[in-house]
């Protein structure tokens, strides 16, 4: 409807159409928005991943949340029943006295036709090569430039550069994204996304300005209705401030 101001008719505003941001991430994976829902233990189920994919991002099913490879097969099929958009599977290589049967999980991922893999954790050499041999696009999560360079050499297609701000394993060097992203832009030959402390459009714009191709968000998605966690945790995340993050320590093993 028209309104009148100072005797002149004012034309109604047309609805604003949001133009998608195209980056190497969106073009490589066939997604609308340069946003990845990173793998999260006991959060990355089919419902969570499908909701993100349906919204135009890249949803990720977390492999090790499932007790065994056949359970992962069912979860992948469930996710495929909930979305016809691209989604991926996270495989985190953890140090353990009795490690999971990673080979069986990887075999199921290939058998089920998943073509986008997020790897993380210990030396990914064996699995990057396995997934690449089977035609997959591999995004490896790194907390240090030297690890990113190793993953690049091993054949990873993209790096998820994980700053100290992250809600998962921040590494041992306590280096934030302002430093890591700038260094990644200078030293990497393959594209990378920003991970850690990512939650809104302003941070996406900052990450793009620093050379990243998008965001990998984890904790932010935990506050959504699709996240399978207790509502009190979601409320704590929403109400928290910049001083609410608490760091812990764990033993790990780096690689070069």
């Amino acid at each position: 409807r028209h309104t009148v101001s100072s005797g002149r008719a004012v034309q109604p505003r047309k609805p604003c159409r949001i133009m998608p941001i195209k980056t190497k991430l969106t073009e490589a994976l066939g997604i609308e928005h340069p946003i990845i829902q990173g793998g999260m233990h006991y959060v990355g189920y089919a419902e969570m991943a499908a909701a993100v994919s349906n919204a135009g991002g890249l949803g990720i099913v977390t492999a090790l949340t499932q007790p065994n490879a056949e359970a992962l097969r069912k979860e992948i099929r469930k996710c495929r029943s909930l979305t016809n958009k691209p989604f991926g599977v996270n495989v985190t290589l953890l140090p353990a006295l009795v490690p999971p049967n990673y080979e069986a999980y990887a075999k199921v991922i290939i058998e089920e036709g998943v073509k986008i893999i997020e790897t993380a954790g210990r030396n990914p050499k064996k699995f990057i090569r396995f997934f690449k041999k089977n035609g997959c696009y591999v995004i490896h999560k790194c907390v240090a430039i030297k690890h990113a360079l190793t993953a690049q050499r091993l054949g990873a297609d993209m790096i998820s550069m994980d700053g100290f701000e992250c809600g998962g394993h921040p590494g041992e060097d306590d280096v934030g994204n302002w430093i890591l992203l700038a260094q990644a832009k200078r030293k990497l030959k393959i594209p990378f996304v920003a991970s850690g402390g990512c939650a809104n459009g302003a941070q996406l714009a900052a990450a793009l300005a620093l050379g990243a191709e998008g965001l990998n968000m984890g904790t932010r998605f935990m506050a959504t209705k699709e996240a399978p966690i207790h509502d009190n945790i979601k409320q704590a995340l929403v109400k928290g401030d910049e001083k609410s993050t608490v760091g812990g320590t764990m033993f790990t093993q780096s690689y070069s």
Side-chain angles (χ1 to χ4, degrees):
R1 120 186 183 190
H2 296 272
T3 59
V4 177
S5 175
S6 302
R8 297 178 59 189
V10 179
Q11 296 297 321
R13 290 184 178 179
K14 294 181 180 180
C16 179
R17 182 170 179 266
I18 299 175
M19 297 296 292
I21 299 173
K22 290 186 178 182
T23 70
K24 291 178 181 178
L25 173 64
T26 62
E27 291 176 350
L29 305 187
I31 58 178
E32 185 178 356
H33 305 298
I35 295 174
I36 300 171
Q37 167 249 311
M40 293 176 283
H41 208 27
Y42 297 114
V43 178
Y45 290 99
E47 292 85 355
M48 178 84 262
V52 174
S53 291
N54 284 332
L58 181 73
I60 297 285
V61 172
T62 305
L64 295 189
T65 292
Q66 303 303 318
N68 53 58
E70 287 307 308
L72 174 61
R73 188 190 304 276
K74 293 178 181 178
E75 198 69 14
I76 291 171
R77 292 180 178 180
K78 184 177 183 180
C79 189
R80 190 164 282 125
S81 74
L82 297 172
T83 184
N84 60 1
K85 303 289 183 68
F87 68 92
V89 173
N90 166 278
V91 179
T92 298
L93 307 168
L94 300 172
L97 293 176
V98 183
N101 189 345
Y102 291 113
E103 290 78 7
Y105 282 99
K107 183 172 181 287
V108 161
I109 290 168
I110 297 304
E111 289 174 350
E112 290 303 311
V114 177
K115 292 298 183 182
I116 304 170
I117 313 296
E118 179 190 57
T119 55
R122 301 177 71 184
N123 193 326
K125 178 178 179 179
K126 176 180 179 180
F127 291 96
I128 287 180
R129 291 182 175 176
F130 173 78
F131 288 125
K132 292 301 298 176
K133 180 181 178 181
N134 285 278
C136 297
Y137 191 93
V138 179
I139 304 169
H140 185 64
K141 184 178 289 184
C142 300
V143 297
I145 297 297
K146 66 177 182 178
H147 297 165
L149 291 170
T150 298
Q152 175 180 270
R153 187 177 72 248
L154 294 175
D157 297 286
M158 183 174 284
I159 298 298
S160 179
M161 207 69 247
D162 209 12
F164 186 63
E165 304 91 335
C166 75
H169 187 345
E172 303 166 331
D173 299 326
D174 299 0
V175 181
N177 269 329
W178 282 109
I179 304 301
L180 281 180
L181 300 184
Q183 288 290 84
K185 177 64 176 176
R186 289 180 55 210
K187 296 188 176 183
L188 294 178
K189 295 180 180 178
I190 59 175
F192 63 95
V193 295
S195 178
C198 302
N200 58 37
Q203 289 164 326
L204 171 60
L208 296 176
L210 284 167
E213 302 295 334
L215 298 182
N216 187 343
M217 300 197 307
T219 306
R220 175 63 184 85
F221 282 115
M222 291 174 63
T224 63
K225 65 180 182 179
E226 291 85 2
I229 61 176
H230 197 284
D231 192 61
N232 288 350
I233 300 175
K234 298 179 185 182
Q235 292 303 318
L237 290 171
V238 172
K239 294 177 181 178
D241 60 22
E242 74 279 5
K243 297 183 290 183
S244 299
T245 301
V246 177
T249 59
M250 65 177 290
F251 292 103
T252 187
Q253 177 178 338
S254 62
Y255 59 90
S256 59

